[in-house]
Amino acid sequence: MSDSIDPLAEVVTLLQPAARYTKYVQAAGGWRVRRSRSDLAFYCTVIEGSCRILRDDGEDIVLAAGDFVLAPALEGFTLSSMQDSDTALLDEDNPPPRLPDGRYHLGPLELAPEVQLVVGHCVFDSPDTPLLLSLLPDLVVVRAHARLSTLAQLVGEEFRATRPAREMVLARLLEVVLIEALRSTSQAGSAPTPGLLRGLADTRLAQAIRALHARPAENWNVPMLAREAALSRSSFFERFRREVGLAPMEYLLAWRMALAKRLLLRADAGMTEVAQQVGYSSASTFSVAFTRHVGVPPSQFTPARQAA
């Protein structure tokens, strides 16, 4: 297998994004919308005008036309007008009024729109969502990105349509949106927190990460991965843990278990086959490792997942 495999694309694909809704929103005057559902990924592109994000940690981020925001699992922030406002705080349970043309209006209805947004929520259907999201930034801001704005609008158009294969098209569009946003952040070298993006932005670590993803069944250890990165064992270990947020073998185990879960959910996957594909010499050895990591044996994982 080629080491050209893309770890970022693999993570997004494993997340299995599905659209919950996409809305066209216009705003005027003073307004505030609270976003607190950590189980829903939030994305927004500014078509016209400007607004800001107020994070719970006090950071104030100004957004202008063409900017794109992705919050895979941000547990609380407010999208607000540029002016300070004491207007009622809207949230998921208290949405803004919907206009006859299908748009939603924030702020006083009598005022002409000053801001145009496309906003949406998606959910992740992966059984490893917490792990995968921990590898991504909690907030991504991409400046003046016409392609992302276009993609977000395409998601909105497809969401409102009733064409055949709608759910499949939405899932693929969302995957492209997520990859494009995360790739833009990675290329800019601006990933603020440890995770996969920071690891891939490090050219040495990226070699090891790609090799690990391309050959997850290989009998990897830290010296082997360090050689892939052309680093000493100690330098590689510290650098990987600092940039990715996990020790190399912790990352390998977590990734193998994520792959194993996906394989187990396939109707045609046998235990021995799954064990071999994720690097275990026997089904019994794999079963012990899986049970220790997941909390249930492989034989019980699929029925429990289907019931959930």
Side-chain angles (χ1 to χ4, degrees):
M1 187 181 294
S2 170
D3 285 6
S4 63
I5 196 166
D6 187 341
L8 181 57
E10 277 203 303
V11 167
V12 172
T13 300
L14 269 187
L15 277 169
Q16 300 175 49
R20 177 62 62 85
Y21 68 72
T22 300
K23 297 178 179 177
Y24 283 81
V25 177
Q26 63 183 41
W31 51 272
R32 299 181 300 158
V33 181
R34 175 73 176 171
R35 302 288 178 183
S36 57
R37 293 279 302 277
S38 60
D39 59 318
L40 296 175
F42 171 80
Y43 56 93
C44 169
T45 188
V46 183
I47 306 301
E48 294 179 11
S50 57
C51 57
R52 56 183 178 160
I53 288 177
L54 307 176
R55 293 187 54 152
D56 287 355
D57 61 9
E59 185 179 6
D60 188 337
I61 303 170
V62 175
L63 304 174
D67 291 350
F68 179 89
V69 174
L70 170 66
L74 188 60
E75 294 188 9
F77 67 95
T78 300
L79 193 65
S80 169
S81 60
M82 292 300 297
Q83 64 191 69
D84 291 329
S85 174
D86 57 0
T87 55
L89 192 62
L90 302 176
D91 56 29
E92 288 84 358
D93 299 320
N94 183 27
R98 186 176 184 179
L99 303 177
D101 65 359
R103 293 177 183 267
Y104 290 80
H105 185 91
L106 293 167
L109 284 168
E110 67 273 11
L111 296 181
E114 302 164 340
V115 183
Q116 301 281 352
L117 309 168
V118 176
V119 301
H121 276 158
C122 67
V123 294
F124 300 121
D125 290 333
S126 169
D128 262 313
T129 294
L131 162 70
L132 298 171
L133 290 182
S134 73
L135 299 175
L136 305 178
D138 63 357
L139 182 67
V140 173
V141 179
V142 185
R143 302 291 184 183
H145 201 296
R147 185 175 176 182
L148 274 169
S149 294
T150 300
L151 285 168
Q153 292 181 72
L154 285 174
V155 171
E157 292 170 8
E158 188 65 31
F159 187 85
R160 292 192 305 279
T162 56
R163 293 187 286 258
R166 172 179 175 270
E167 296 304 320
M168 181 180 293
V169 172
L170 276 171
R172 298 299 175 266
L173 279 173
L174 284 172
E175 286 181 1
V176 175
V177 167
L178 293 173
I179 290 171
E180 187 70 30
L182 295 169
R183 182 170 60 184
S184 297
T185 301
S186 176
Q187 289 172 342
S190 58
T193 55
L196 184 61
L197 294 189
R198 285 241 306 244
L200 292 175
D202 184 313
T203 54
R204 295 285 185 90
L205 294 183
Q207 294 299 318
I209 293 171
R210 290 193 181 98
L212 183 156
H213 277 252
R215 307 191 302 278
E218 190 157 324
N219 190 24
W220 292 110
N221 55 35
V222 172
M224 290 172 63
L225 289 169
R227 284 195 293 273
E228 293 285 344
L231 292 168
S232 71
R233 176 178 176 174
S234 59
S235 295
F236 170 75
F237 183 89
E238 292 302 325
R239 195 154 152 178
F240 193 101
R241 187 168 60 177
R242 181 181 67 246
E243 298 302 322
V244 179
L246 291 171
M249 301 314 288
E250 287 181 293
Y251 183 90
L252 174 62
L253 174 62
W255 185 248
R256 281 175 169 173
M257 292 299 112
L259 294 177
K261 290 177 184 178
R262 179 173 63 177
L263 291 169
L264 287 169
L265 291 172
R266 282 176 21 195
D268 60 342
M271 192 75 69
T272 300
E273 177 193 358
V274 173
Q276 292 174 346
Q277 289 199 39
V278 296
Y280 291 88
S281 57
S282 69
S284 59
T285 305
F286 164 68
S287 181
V288 170
F290 187 93
T291 303
R292 184 184 301 120
H293 185 81
V294 179
V296 296
S299 59
Q300 295 179 19
F301 171 75
T302 301
R305 175 68 179 170
Q306 290 171 342

